[in-house]
Amino acid sequence: MRLHAFLPLLLSAITSTTASDSPSQLTTWEQIHQTLHTYPLAVDFKQASLYPQVFANDAFANYTGPLANLTGIDAIREGLMASVASLISQHQLGTTVIDIHDDGVSANSTTYFTATLFTLMPNQMGSRDYTILYGLYSDQLKLVQNEGWRISTRYLEFMAPNLGNLTLG
Ligand SMILES: *[C@@H]1O[C@H](CO)[C@@H](O)[C@H](O)[C@H]1NC(C)=O
Ligand SMILES: *[C@@H]1O[C@H](CO)[C@@H](O)[C@H](O)[C@H]1NC(C)=O
Ligand SMILES: *[C@@H]1O[C@H](CO)[C@@H](O)[C@H](O)[C@H]1NC(C)=O
Ligand SMILES: *[C@@H]1O[C@H](CO)[C@@H](O)[C@H](O)[C@H]1NC(C)=O
């Protein structure tokens, strides 16, 4: 895909703004926002190396269905990468509300998403199956020393019926 030509540029931008051994110029809210919004790049560009910039090592995620009980970053990465391995995906994040807790090292957030998934048939542009998913992520985050803000717990909630004719799972 032509889109992938932009990937090196995108990844270097992400790396330079989330590398957090040194004090970041971003506010706490901005750092958390950056973590949450790096997620679509990990999933949609199938970048295993970006998952540790999004999830804590001991994170738990419940994406419902076959991905309802993912414990640990390896399970999360492998589960999500497998779920889009034979698809083109685009996760569009929207409404983002972040509550930073008084301890300064934990937070929780709600982030809307619209995820569009297409079957991978590069030479048959007019005849793809697709589905559009509408929902939100309800997350707990923590500040991991020498790394930055990471999702520690994620629950997905669907907010509307799915559209399209792609049967998943
Ligand atoms: C995952 O979330 C669903 C509701 O969306 C719930 O029914 C299920 O018990 C949860 N599973 C775990 C392991 O948290
Ligand atoms: C979720 O997975 C853990 C192992 O990672 C297991 O101990 C637990 O029983 C599972 N929970 C459910 C509801 O399947
Ligand atoms: C954070 O968690 C609290 C307690 O569960 C909840 O009331 C609040 O709505 C959450 N904030 C966000 C932004 O999701
Ligand atoms: C699924 O929908 C797409 C878009 O409308 C269409 O091109 C494709 O033929 C449909 N596939 C099936 C199996 O109905």
Side-chain angles (χ1 to χ4, degrees):
M1 293 212 35
R2 208 179 198 84
L3 203 54
H4 285 78
F6 295 104
L7 191 56
L9 203 61
L10 201 58
L11 292 179
S12 74
I14 285 293
T15 304
S16 66
T17 48
T18 56
S20 34
D21 300 78
S22 56
S24 174
Q25 295 187 351
L26 303 176
T27 64
T28 297
W29 192 96
E30 289 167 338
Q31 289 174 44
I32 293 170
H33 185 276
Q34 192 81 334
T35 295
L36 294 169
H37 286 250
T38 297
Y39 173 79
L41 301 177
V43 177
D44 296 334
F45 288 101
K46 310 185 201 306
Q47 292 294 300
S49 64
L50 283 181
Y51 283 83
Q53 295 189 33
V54 177
F55 292 99
N57 281 335
D58 58 354
F60 167 81
N62 181 345
Y63 285 88
T64 78
L67 303 177
N69 187 20
L70 303 175
T71 302
I73 192 166
D74 292 342
I76 293 172
R77 187 188 59 241
E78 285 160 22
L80 290 172
M81 290 193 75
S83 75
V84 295
S86 60
L87 300 170
I88 295 169
S89 67
Q90 197 203 34
H91 287 72
Q92 186 70 42
L93 303 187
T95 301
T96 304
V97 182
I98 300 167
D99 287 339
I100 301 162
H101 302 163
D102 289 342
D103 63 12
V105 295
S106 65
N108 66 305
S109 62
T110 298
T111 311
Y112 283 21
F113 70 84
T114 304
T116 311
L117 308 171
F118 296 93
T119 49
L120 195 56
M121 294 187 289
N123 299 317
Q124 300 172 44
M125 291 299 285
S127 61
R128 298 175 187 286
D129 288 354
Y130 70 96
T131 188
I132 309 175
L133 311 171
Y134 300 90
L136 60 79
Y137 303 123
S138 179
D139 295 330
Q140 304 282 336
L141 296 105
K142 63 179 178 181
L143 182 58
V144 178
Q145 205 171 9
N146 299 325
E147 290 186 30
W149 286 90
R150 299 291 182 268
I151 296 169
S152 53
T153 308
R154 162 161 288 185
Y155 284 89
L156 178 155
E157 286 175 36
F158 289 108
M159 295 170 65
N162 303 336
L163 299 182
N165 61 9
L166 176 62
T167 306
L168 298 171

